[in-house]
Amino acid sequence: MSSKKYFIILITLLLLASCGKQEQEEITTEVKKEVQNDIQQEITTTGSTKEDRPTPIPISTKTKDGISTKFVEPTNTEFDSSEKKEPTSLKVNKINKTYKTPGWNDEVAFTITMNGNTIEKVVTESVKWNDISRKLQQSFWDAINAQIKGKTLEEAKWIKAVGGASLTTKAFVDVLETM
Amino acid sequence: MLYTLEALGTKLVIDTLDETLKEELVHFCFCEVKKFEQKFSRFDEKSYLSKINRNWWWEIDDEFLSLLELSQHVHKNSFWYFDITLWSSLEKLWYWSSKQGNEKSSMDDIILSLNTLTLLNGTHIDFWWIWKWYIIDILFKYLDMNISQFIINFWWDIRVKWKHRLGLEDPLDSSKIIWEVFLEDMAICGSSGQKRKFWWNHHLINPKTRQSQNESLAVFTQHRLASFADTYATAIFVSPLETSLKILEHTEWLDGLIITRSWEIYQSNNFLCTLF
């Protein structure tokens, strides 16, 4: 085959390749435009508010002790407006507490859920911390629910250094005193 | 048939029973994802996003503009909780970086005039999540032109074509499925701080406190578009519960499920799921 023929075949292949590439780019541009139009369309419709739309309500309240226990109480939660449950009657108190650690003031928020006059569960959240106190606050949270669930406020005040966190425990007991 | 791509430190899966899907198309889709990763990466200094963040003024393309407009829209509709200017807080909390940045920057520092973007007060924008949601919608279009049923699953962010039954995992134990959802031509997206965290730190930051938000365990949202479902899932997750409920209440065509840390479950009217 002469070099001229090689040259023609090469040019043809290049042209075919560029056509394919061009076609692919056109599709890409077209698709992107379509998605951008979809977004624009949704911005105009999704943004609109609907006054008669009901507020989501709790459909069920499950209990997890701390963060590691098994999921319990499976019930049918298939949504049916006739089955809407009223919001839970558990009383939830969220209290922030500042306490002093060596060279530092830490702050922790305790969310204490009361079921009647007994404690249902406690959630702790670090607000101000250093690396050590945060680790201790986590240990406290890991251990506290197993120790106080079902206890009255008075009974719960006798806990000591839960999860090895004596200052966090003291801060928690101080919060119980105020409730 | 399952096709998998490692991208953005996570996994993208295309799942279909339609045997007419050609491998060339899957390859093309994966190449597109890689192109987007290069464009929007916060870690690559040569990326389009990094160039914009290095300059305070830039002429942006239509794609970037579209994602910015979506961000601003959800910012407004989420009572200012959705925020793409938390770069420096994220660097500090999550990447443990000593990089200096303006920790007081806000969405007000983003000025958009036609295609011109101005970033005030040293503000950096972080798009790594938004492009991930947007690419799901792009891939959906490519696949939709060729096959009749499929699932695109980009690590908790899913969009399906045709009818599918999916499981939602327990936010505290990924080996368990706790709900089953039925989807038809919809997207479902999840937000949770449980997946990648160090103590209480994770990548979902409340812009008011500049700390990781830990009030909810997980949020799932449904919308026609993955980009919308996911932007709102993030907005709802980083908001306090009261605000989250307001967002769900007021946003048309958006449905969701919120699982709080105290294991209370809130579900909007049309979010149809059953316990597994």
Side-chain angles (χ1 to χ4, degrees):
Chain A
M1 205 183 287
S2 69
S3 58
K4 195 179 171 187
K5 276 184 183 169
Y6 270 127
F7 182 71
I8 291 167
I9 291 169
L10 187 68
I11 293 293
T12 315
L13 285 173
L14 281 173
L15 276 172
L16 283 171
S18 68
C19 284
K21 204 179 168 190
Q22 197 184 342
E23 195 187 344
Q24 212 169 54
E25 276 172 9
E26 275 171 17
I27 294 171
T28 310
T29 313
E30 198 54 43
V31 163
K32 283 182 179 176
K33 262 189 196 160
E34 273 183 39
V35 174
Q36 286 158 21
N37 286 340
D38 282 349
I39 290 176
Q40 269 310 321
Q41 195 189 332
E42 291 297 332
I43 285 176
T44 49
T45 57
T46 310
S48 59
T49 57
K50 200 176 173 187
E51 293 305 322
D52 57 348
R53 203 173 151 96
T55 309
I57 57 158
I59 54 153
S60 56
T61 304
K62 312 271 182 280
T63 304
K64 282 211 169 187
D65 293 333
I67 54 168
S68 59
T69 54
K70 228 176 138 186
F71 180 78
V72 291
E73 299 171 43
T75 52
N76 180 18
T77 58
E78 190 167 11
F79 193 83
D80 175 351
S81 57
S82 64
E83 284 181 3
K84 278 181 191 173
K85 290 183 182 172
E86 285 306 307
T88 174
S89 61
L90 299 177
K91 189 182 171 201
V92 180
N93 299 284
K94 186 170 179 182
I95 301 167
N96 282 42
K97 174 74 184 168
T98 306
Y99 62 99
K100 223 173 164 47
T101 53
W104 189 265
N105 275 326
D106 289 323
E107 190 177 341
V108 62
F110 297 108
T111 306
I112 303 163
T113 308
M114 299 295 296
N115 186 359
N117 63 349
T118 60
I119 297 172
E120 181 67 24
K121 61 181 171 279
V122 174
V123 175
T124 63
E125 191 184 335
S126 296
V127 181
K128 257 171 86 181
W129 68 85
N130 61 32
D131 288 344
I132 300 166
S133 62
R134 193 163 205 196
K135 201 172 162 183
L136 287 163
Q137 286 167 11
Q138 173 79 49
S139 308
F140 173 85
W141 188 20
D142 286 345
I144 185 67
N145 281 288
Q147 292 201 24
I148 59 155
K149 190 182 175 193
K151 288 189 174 170
T152 62
L153 292 175
E154 197 51 45
E155 288 164 347
K157 284 174 192 167
W158 297 99
I159 52 170
K160 299 274 182 216
V162 177
S166 57
L167 294 174
T168 312
T169 306
K170 190 177 175 309
F172 178 70
V173 171
D174 288 348
V175 164
L176 295 183
E177 298 277 3
T178 62
M179 286 174 65
Chain B
M1 287 178 288
L2 274 185
Y3 298 90
T4 308
L5 173 76
E6 299 282 337
L8 201 75
T10 59
K11 203 183 271 182
L12 165 70
V13 178
I14 295 173
D15 184 359
T16 182
L17 291 173
D18 192 330
E19 290 178 353
T20 60
L21 174 62
K22 289 181 182 154
E23 297 228 342
E24 289 83 2
L25 177 61
V26 177
H27 177 72
F28 172 75
C29 287
F30 287 172
C31 287
E32 284 295 294
V33 175
K34 285 292 171 193
K35 275 189 212 163
F36 269 79
E37 193 168 17
Q38 281 165 7
K39 182 174 180 180
F40 291 108
S41 172
R42 73 201 305 280
F43 306 106
D44 181 359
E45 292 202 349
K46 289 178 194 155
S47 73
Y48 187 74
L49 177 71
S50 297
K51 281 179 194 162
I52 287 173
N53 277 330
R54 273 199 300 274
N55 295 274
W56 64 278
W57 181 89
W58 199 268
E59 200 77 42
I60 54 173
D61 63 21
D62 288 345
E63 192 160 61
F64 205 93
L65 177 68
S66 180
L67 297 184
L68 259 185
E69 284 175 344
L70 170 64
S71 309
Q72 288 183 324
H73 161 78
V74 180
H75 174 67
K76 187 176 147 232
N77 278 284
S78 64
F79 305 90
W80 304 280
Y81 273 95
F82 182 78
D83 197 320
I84 55 169
T85 65
L86 300 172
W87 176 294
S88 52
S89 303
L90 194 66
E91 285 279 334
K92 208 169 146 188
L93 271 178
W94 185 243
Y95 297 105
W96 293 40
S97 163
S98 54
K99 277 182 197 169
Q100 296 297 310
N102 180 5
E103 283 211 54
K104 287 181 181 163
S105 55
S106 73
M107 293 284 283
D108 295 337
D109 293 321
I110 298 175
I111 310 293
L112 204 49
S113 166
L114 295 175
N115 274 50
T116 305
L117 168 71
T118 310
L119 296 174
L120 303 176
N121 303 320
T123 295
H124 282 47
I125 52 181
D126 188 3
F127 255 2
W128 79 269
W129 41 15
I130 296 180
W131 78 259
K132 175 177 169 248
W133 311 329
Y134 172 71
I135 190 80
I136 296 174
D137 291 329
I138 298 270
L139 297 186
F140 182 91
K141 292 266 178 194
Y142 289 136
L143 294 172
D144 193 27
M145 286 190 278
N146 292 277
I147 53 176
S148 56
Q149 67 95 347
F150 55 87
I151 299 174
I152 303 169
N153 181 356
F154 206 160
W155 209 66
W156 277 49
D157 304 324
I158 294 166
R159 188 167 170 190
V160 305
K161 172 73 182 175
W162 206 60
K163 295 172 186 175
H164 295 271
R165 213 176 73 173
L166 302 172
L168 302 184
E169 68 182 41
D170 184 329
L172 297 180
D173 183 353
S174 58
S175 66
K176 287 193 198 112
I177 301 291
I178 48 175
W179 281 284
E180 206 176 26
V181 283
F182 296 91
L183 287 184
E184 187 176 354
D185 298 332
M186 287 284 279
I188 182 164
C189 298
S191 240
S192 172
Q194 300 296 311
K195 283 279 170 184
R196 289 186 292 187
K197 64 170 187 173
F198 180 78
W199 295 118
W200 278 298
N201 285 344
H202 52 74
H203 62 291
L204 294 162
I205 297 173
N206 175 336
K208 318 277 173 178
T209 62
R210 300 259 161 182
Q211 299 295 331
S212 300
Q213 175 67 286
N214 283 303
E215 200 168 347
S216 296
L217 280 176
V219 167
F220 296 94
T221 51
Q222 283 178 357
H223 191 274
R224 186 173 74 84
L225 298 178
S227 41
F228 263 72
D230 221 331
T231 315
Y232 273 105
T234 302
I236 290 170
F237 188 90
V238 300
S239 313
L241 181 61
E242 203 181 317
T243 311
S244 306
L245 295 177
K246 262 196 217 166
I247 298 169
L248 270 183
E249 181 188 348
H250 290 292
T251 312
E252 188 104 81
W253 307 118
L254 179 80
D255 280 286
L257 178 84
I258 302 170
I259 306 166
T260 69
R261 189 159 281 282
S262 50
W263 210 243
E264 284 165 338
I265 300 154
Y266 295 82
Q267 180 180 358
S268 65
N269 261 4
N270 296 319
F271 191 98
L272 293 176
C273 64
T274 53
L275 266 181
F276 190 65

